[in-house]
Amino acid sequence: MSKIRWGLLSTANINRRLIPAIRESAKGELVAVASRSQASAQAYADKWDIPQAFGSYEVMLASDAVDAVYIGLPNHLHAEWSIKAMRHGKHVLCEKPFALTLAEVDEMTAVSQQTGCYLAEAFMYRHHPQTKIVGELVQNGRLGRVTLVRGVFNFAFNTRENIRLVPEMGGGCLWDVGVYPLSLAQFVMGGPPEQVTGFQWIGESDVDEVFSGQMLYANGGMAQISSSFCTPWLTHAEILGTEGRLILNRPFVALDDGQRKLIFYPKEGDPEEIVVSEKELYLGEVEDLHDAVLDGRSQYLTFAETRNHVKTVLALYESAKTGQVITL
Ligand SMILES: NC(=O)c1ccc[n+]([C@@H]2O[C@H](COP(=O)([O-])OP(=O)(O)OC[C@H]3O[C@@H](n4cnc5c(N)ncnc54)[C@H](OP(=O)(O)O)[C@@H]3O)[C@@H](O)[C@H]2O)c1
């Protein structure tokens, strides 16, 4: 096998980001899309110039024409279809949040290990050069001891018809966008928090439409994260350390307007803008699958990290529900 043949499992809106990434990659090609109806699959294939259209997810999984699938389903279907795909021998890139329970994460992990299929959570920003620079700056001590990570991801809906507003589908802004600053904090701190507290505002939809969380880590570091479905679009993160602070104005999103800035403010002296070599935001996660499957490299995002993302979200929700500080 010299190239990975990709199939899109659903006609999800987010596919529009993966399609150019797969096409730009050196070792991947987009060969198929599956939808719950043949008409929808065919219309999508025509629109995006995809060679094959399957009128059911199962039929695409059973096909020899596909090596790997991208799962952009509603959150409550991630585990079910990742497992089905791997049982058919397909490698899987599964959207965040990976799953909604730890039992699901453990089953997905076990099936990946049994089948030898690649399986990873599609946290695209983790593969981006900017995030890797942040990791290096923290690791090499440039910020000193990191005392606080702050991150936010907010947006507002144009319409109330959305999978994110449906409780049974794993809706809620923490599951949807709060997981970005949560995962950044875990990346910077090198592991999950020991204790968390969360507050939420439940909207008419019956899901959290505003969520704010605080996390305390073993080394004494802390994080504050927030997410919202009802305030204007904003992503931002800052990492505060004893030797300086780092500001990321676009930590989690594609560079559509050329305004990404990574600025380091040292304890003393002038601020320094750190140059980030741009790369298509969704390309890294696609290449990671290629490198693991074709060249036998270890996947970049580990199951342990992914499990801790889910564990921390669940603890934050428990705290918001009970009003208690939760120890992980
Ligand atoms: N990494 C990122 O940047 C990013 C950005 C946005 C979203 N996401 C993630 O991607 C996933 C999809 O988000 P999206 O906004 O793209 O969703 P979406 O546009 O609503 O698409 C979801 C797709 O799932 C399929 N589906 C299967 N069962 C369904 C059901 N019962 N109800 C509704 N749809 C069903 C549908 O495809 P068919 O009709 O073709 O079967 C639908 O097109 C979510 O997990 C989200 O967290 C990630």
Side-chain angles (χ1 to χ4, degrees), residues 198-210:
F199 293 94
Q200 62 187 346
W201 179 76
I202 304 280
E204 272 174 32
S205 59
D206 215 19
V207 302
D208 52 299
E209 297 195 29
V210 181

Side-chain angles (χ1 to χ4, degrees), residues 118-316:
Y118 175 101
L119 170 67
E121 184 176 29
F123 259 128
M124 72 312 187
Y125 86 94
R126 282 287 309 275
H127 299 266
H128 191 269
Q130 173 171 263
T131 314
K132 295 192 173 173
I133 292 173
V134 169
E136 285 159 19
L137 290 171
V138 170
Q139 284 298 315
N140 68 22
R142 189 84 189 279
L143 278 76
R145 183 171 67 80
V146 175
T147 57
L148 184 70
V149 177
R150 288 209 318 217
V152 56
F153 199 147
N154 292 345
F155 69 94
F157 285 111
N158 297 326
T159 153
R160 304 291 294 176
E161 293 296 312
N162 196 292
I163 55 171
R164 291 161 182 78
L165 294 171
V166 183
E168 309 79 59
M169 291 186 166
C173 68
L174 177 60
W175 278 127
D176 188 48
V177 282
V179 290
Y180 285 99
L182 181 153
S183 63
L184 178 70
Q186 180 176 305
F187 173 62
V188 169
M189 293 299 186
E194 289 197 329
Q195 291 189 307
V196 305
T197 57
F199 293 94
Q200 62 187 346
W201 179 76
I202 304 280
E204 272 174 32
S205 59
D206 215 19
V207 302
D208 52 299
E209 297 195 29
V210 181
F211 199 101
S212 152
Q214 304 241 26
M215 284 106 93
L216 175 66
Y217 294 82
N219 62 4
M222 297 172 211
Q224 297 174 329
I225 62 162
S226 64
S227 51
S228 166
F229 282 163
C230 44
T231 44
W233 191 92
L234 172 69
T235 71
H236 183 82
E238 53 191 319
I239 303 169
L240 282 64
T242 51
E243 298 301 316
R245 68 193 164 101
L246 193 60
I247 308 286
L248 295 83
N249 73 334
R250 296 176 76 84
F252 314 118
V253 289
L255 186 71
D256 291 336
D257 63 3
Q259 294 291 315
R260 196 188 300 284
K261 288 207 188 302
L262 180 60
I263 303 177
F264 179 63
Y265 292 82
K267 191 164 68 175
E268 284 165 15
D270 295 331
E272 176 192 340
E273 184 167 345
I274 297 167
V275 177
V276 177
S277 62
E278 268 314 325
K279 175 172 175 169
E280 207 289 319
L281 182 63
Y282 293 78
L283 182 56
E285 62 186 13
V286 168
E287 289 176 334
D288 190 63
L289 183 147
H290 296 168
D291 292 346
V293 174
L294 298 174
D295 304 331
R297 290 205 210 146
S298 301
Q299 67 184 62
Y300 180 64
L301 207 68
T302 66
F303 288 125
E305 286 172 278
T306 287
R307 192 175 195 281
N308 284 329
H309 296 152
V310 175
K311 191 174 184 181
T312 306
V313 171
L314 293 170
L316 282 165

